[in-house]
Amino acid sequence: MSSTPKPTSSAQTSGAARLLQRQLKEMSTAKDLPGISVGLLNENNVFVWEVVLMINDDCKYYGGAYFRAHLTFPPEYPHLPPKLVFQAPVPFHPNIYASGELCISILHPPEDDKYGYETAAERWSPVQTPETILLSVISLFSEPNDESPANLDAAKLLRQDRAGESKEFRRRVRKCVRESLGED
Amino acid sequence: MPPPNTPEEGVVATNTSSILALRPSMSRDGGGDGGGGGGGGPSSAAAVDLRLLEYEDAVDENLICPICRVALVGPVITNCDHVFCHRCLVQAHALNPVCPVDRLPLKLVSETRPAPKIVQNQLDNLNVRCPNHARGCHLVVARSLVENHVTRYCDKTMVPCPHPSCEHTVVRNDVGKGCLHYDVQCEYCEGNMLKADLEIHQDQKCPNRKKDCELCSAEFVRNKQEEHMKECPEVEVSCKYAPFGCTQQMSRKMAEGHGEKCDYRVVGPVGEQLAELRSELTALQEKDRMKDRRIKFLENRGYTLPASNATEAISDISLPESSTNADMAPYESRDQYFLSLFETMESKVERLSSALAEVEGRHSMMLINETLQIKDQLTEIRSTLGVLGMHVRWLMNFRLQERGRVGAGSPAMPGSLAGNQQGTSDPNLPRRLSDTMREHPPRL
């Protein structure tokens, strides 16, 4: 007597799709998310989001910037983490690869320990939401983490800047912030 | 896929089976409802996947699974007091054997248990829509009853065809009509389809099935009814100037004529221009916002750099000299540097003047407060002085009279206290005491 109208093969995918659809709607109607705006890159694919992060002016290095990124979710979401890739101009940041991919511990799946130095406590958990991810990303712009650099140059220059030895980091960051605002 | 299984996972049979059922679903995304009610949920052979349901009202945040973010299905609670759907927790645990919320190590079997009955009851009472509402069942029912409704009563549930050799399914409503799974030809479009689908096809899809419009007697394709309504000449429409205030309703073919003599036709072109301007305005506002951000950004930059050598910035004379050192490097040209310097100064002066105004205001306020008090005290003192004067005058009068009387008896000096006291009568005694005290100051 059982009837399942939907093919079970897509059950997981459709579950993730529904979850994402809901979260997208919640986030685009939320009023308490200053500086974050989200939307779909392609109307028909709820698994790829386009994200715009407007960094607060108080932020030390990146204040005023206007960064665009793509947030790509796997079909296994929320059990596996999404991937965040910044679009050109890629921010000059110790935790962002030159390709634009973001390296942040909460987006690393719990099982693959290729980085070796993270404890499981810092990695992905299914209770994370796009909202918590993006808030973490924004805080990463306020406090870049030079412990596990994805961009070695940036990390080195950041340390020099913190030590007061060189202003090169500031200059490079300002340049990419300017670019993100559409200046030449 | 890492299965870091804790040894405990195999202890209870139901849990093992649900894990096994779920693990392939992580890699291939198959078999969804393996562990539907392992944590005490009512359904194990789920005919209705409770997580697909649409809830009638917003669900309380506390009843939502932190993993799948819908109302809990088969809720389990961990020893660290976090509640999840049983299936969600099992899936998450297979990847990482910790509690997803606080990340403490978690043993799936010994450290979780079904959530308390009160949680179950609250979940059971949530109102949901019948999952067949796409097929036309509009029932809203408590969640605990929805499965019963779908499997036994809902007319729109798909059930196996009554014909023994037929493998198709059919809406329960049509079971009595025998097997409908034979090919028929649509009489309008000559397309082939199953008899079971014919009705829906003719109602909604058939490109040839025509229908007469009830209003204008024109013929149109049945599934295009909505489109026809948009152009049917007899349909009641509102005047094209309705946005500007015309309230008249008339058939579409009359609207044309009305438009030419509508009282609001004068306003029309203005309104259109207004709309145009408004859209232009929003575009400009958008641009402006972007510009603002840039300006702000530039201003900030102009400000932060001189501030980094703030000690020098205090004296104006030393500033131009600082332009030669490394700090000016980010500036493309000297002019720009001075411009930014100028801007900084300007903003500083502005800040100072506003601060000055504030201080001034505060001072005058303070002054007024103080002087008011002093004035009050002054008037008080003045009035006491007046009273004192009155007293003195009265007493002096009194004394003079007395002296006149006593003077007749003893013309000797009445000024001494002892003489006074001896000389006067008793009723005056208390007054005289204070009297002497008042008389003293002038003598001193």
Side-chain angles (χ1 to χ4, degrees):
Chain A
M1 286 293 278
S2 80
S3 66
T4 40
K6 282 190 180 129
T8 45
S9 61
S10 66
Q12 175 117 28
T13 317
S14 71
R18 265 180 291 115
L19 175 57
L20 286 169
Q21 201 88 57
R22 254 196 331 269
Q23 290 181 328
L24 180 69
K25 203 172 138 202
E26 272 169 29
M27 277 192 77
S28 37
T29 51
K31 296 255 186 317
D32 52 350
L33 285 176
I36 299 178
S37 85
V38 292
L40 290 184
L41 186 63
N42 172 350
E43 284 295 310
N44 303 319
N45 186 2
V46 77
F47 287 92
V48 184
W49 290 19
E50 185 169 45
V51 180
V52 176
L53 300 177
M54 282 159 277
I55 311 296
N56 195 304
D57 290 331
D58 302 338
C59 177
K60 189 174 174 192
Y61 297 115
Y62 296 89
Y66 198 82
F67 293 128
R68 287 177 182 77
H70 292 173
L71 193 58
T72 311
F73 296 89
E76 293 88 355
Y77 179 80
H79 292 285
L80 293 179
K83 214 190 316 181
L84 189 75
V85 180
F86 281 92
Q87 304 300 304
V90 172
F92 183 72
H93 189 287
N95 307 109
I96 299 173
Y97 290 100
S99 63
E101 198 174 323
L102 176 75
C103 173
I104 179 172
S105 62
I106 61 158
L107 292 188
H108 294 154
E111 82 275 22
D112 83 8
D113 203 8
K114 63 181 174 186
Y115 302 96
Y117 44 75
E118 293 162 5
T119 63
E122 294 164 332
R123 275 179 264 140
W124 175 255
S125 158
V127 299
Q128 302 278 8
T129 64
E131 190 177 322
T132 62
I133 296 166
L134 294 178
L135 289 174
S136 305
V137 173
I138 283 197
S139 78
L140 204 58
F141 279 109
S142 304
E143 283 167 33
N145 175 8
D146 60 357
E147 299 284 300
S148 57
N151 183 336
L152 283 172
D153 270 355
K156 217 166 65 193
L157 290 174
L158 173 63
R159 282 189 186 170
Q160 287 175 2
D161 186 274
R162 283 182 177 160
E165 294 163 11
S166 152
K167 291 231 155 55
E168 180 67 14
F169 183 76
R170 253 165 238 251
R171 191 147 56 231
R172 300 265 303 258
V173 166
R174 287 283 127 189
K175 183 164 167 282
C176 88
V177 171
R178 245 186 348 256
E179 280 169 5
S180 79
L181 284 168
E183 288 179 42
D184 35 36
Chain B
M1 270 312 118
N5 293 341
T6 54
E8 286 81 358
E9 272 181 355
V11 175
V12 173
T14 54
N15 281 319
T16 323
S17 67
S18 57
I19 291 166
L20 290 178
L22 286 163
R23 197 160 301 133
S25 82
M26 294 301 293
S27 47
R28 288 173 298 150
D29 73 13
D33 20 24
S43 60
S44 49
V48 178
D49 189 348
L50 293 182
R51 60 199 71 224
L52 295 178
L53 293 173
E54 276 179 47
Y55 290 83
E56 182 69 3
D57 315 301
V59 181
D60 188 299
E61 185 67 29
N62 295 309
L63 294 177
I64 285 181
C65 169
I67 296 179
C68 64
R69 309 244 161 217
V70 291
L72 291 151
V73 176
V76 290
I77 185 166
T78 63
N79 275 8
C80 46
D81 275 341
H82 297 115
V83 186
F84 306 93
C85 299
H86 177 256
R87 195 176 86 175
C88 293
L89 184 61
V90 168
Q91 279 180 327
H93 194 271
L95 285 169
N96 196 12
V98 298
C99 168
V101 173
D102 59 20
R103 304 182 202 239
L104 294 174
L106 181 72
K107 290 173 182 145
L108 199 53
V109 174
S110 58
E111 290 178 0
T112 67
R113 57 191 186 281
K117 193 72 189 156
I118 185 166
V119 177
Q120 297 273 6
N121 291 345
Q122 279 182 302
L123 289 164
D124 284 347
N125 283 340
L126 294 172
N127 281 330
V128 297
R129 294 196 193 121
C130 173
N132 292 327
H133 69 92
R135 279 193 287 272
C137 177
H138 297 295
L139 189 79
V140 172
V141 67
R143 196 175 85 164
S144 54
L145 302 176
V146 72
E147 185 175 355
N148 195 33
H149 163 73
V150 168
T151 51
R152 301 211 182 148
Y153 301 108
C154 182
D155 282 343
K156 307 294 180 187
T157 302
M158 299 300 280
V159 295
C161 181
H163 195 276
S165 63
C166 179
E167 288 175 354
H168 291 284
T169 57
V170 66
V171 176
R172 180 179 284 129
N173 228 7
D174 293 343
V175 165
K177 298 179 187 165
C179 179
L180 299 171
H181 298 104
Y182 52 88
D183 285 342
V184 289
Q185 204 176 42
C186 170
E187 52 199 293
Y188 303 103
C189 68
E190 303 187 348
N192 285 322
M193 65 207 64
L194 294 177
K195 172 79 171 146
D197 301 330
L198 185 65
E199 199 175 320
I200 292 175
H201 164 80
Q202 288 186 345
D203 259 7
Q204 295 165 13
K205 296 197 189 107
C206 179
N208 286 1
R209 186 167 184 191
K210 299 282 197 328
K211 186 184 167 191
D212 288 343
C213 176
E214 294 152 9
L215 298 166
C216 69
S217 76
E219 207 180 43
F220 58 92
V221 179
R222 190 176 166 122
N223 61 352
K224 298 274 166 58
Q225 178 151 6
E226 272 181 31
E227 284 154 53
H228 174 74
M229 283 319 229
K230 280 182 198 150
E231 55 198 38
C232 175
E234 295 292 338
V235 168
E236 288 255 303
V237 293
S238 42
C239 172
K240 64 177 172 180
Y241 296 122
F244 311 117
C246 183
T247 51
Q248 282 201 46
Q249 295 269 336
M250 71 227 85
S251 68
R252 185 170 275 123
K253 65 180 180 203
M254 302 289 287
E256 199 65 14
H258 167 78
E260 273 155 35
K261 44 187 170 16
C262 177
D263 294 338
Y264 290 91
R265 69 182 184 282
V266 193
V267 197
V270 181
E272 276 160 31
Q273 275 179 358
L274 205 68
E276 231 168 76
L277 287 176
R278 208 167 279 159
S279 72
E280 230 167 84
L281 191 71
T282 48
L284 283 175
Q285 268 170 347
E286 188 56 38
K287 253 190 188 167
D288 185 49
R289 215 167 295 142
M290 198 68 193
K291 286 256 156 61
D292 263 358
R293 277 190 80 77
R294 276 173 65 172
I295 289 171
K296 229 181 187 177
F297 163 72
L298 287 170
E299 270 176 356
N300 275 358
R301 189 186 58 169
Y303 176 62
T304 48
L305 267 173
S308 65
N309 46 8
T311 44
E312 292 171 73
I314 291 171
S315 83
D316 290 23
I317 311 141
S318 65
L319 260 175
E321 283 153 20
S322 75
S323 66
T324 49
N325 63 29
D327 281 346
M328 71 157 291
Y331 295 104
E332 277 80 3
S333 71
R334 201 165 256 272
D335 289 352
Q336 211 180 339
Y337 175 71
F338 279 116
L339 211 65
S340 74
L341 211 62
F342 179 68
E343 265 172 11
T344 322
M345 286 297 151
E346 211 168 39
S347 71
K348 260 185 202 156
V349 168
E350 221 163 82
R351 250 179 297 149
L352 279 177
S353 63
S354 72
L356 208 65
E358 198 186 327
V359 168
E360 213 175 86
R362 214 179 291 156
H363 265 262
S364 57
M365 210 45 212
M366 234 158 69
L367 218 63
I368 288 173
N369 280 348
E370 296 280 298
T371 42
L372 265 183
Q373 270 181 2
I374 292 174
K375 264 185 197 159
D376 278 354
Q377 283 170 353
L378 216 63
T379 43
E380 208 176 308
I381 290 170
R382 224 173 258 153
S383 73
T384 28
L385 209 67
V387 173
L388 282 183
M390 263 163 59
H391 278 263
V392 169
R393 240 172 282 137
W394 181 77
L395 280 171
M396 288 300 273
N397 277 344
F398 192 73
R399 179 73 66 79
L400 284 174
Q401 285 175 5
E402 207 171 6
R403 202 183 288 167
R405 251 189 294 141
V406 175
S410 66
M413 187 60 215
S416 86
L417 218 111
N420 261 343
Q421 271 178 341
Q422 282 167 352
T424 45
S425 53
D426 274 345
N428 285 326
L429 195 69
R431 229 175 250 158
R432 194 153 303 148
L433 258 178
S434 60
D435 194 25
T436 52
M437 281 160 78
R438 282 178 196 167
E439 268 175 347
H440 267 294
R443 277 182 200 168
L444 282 170

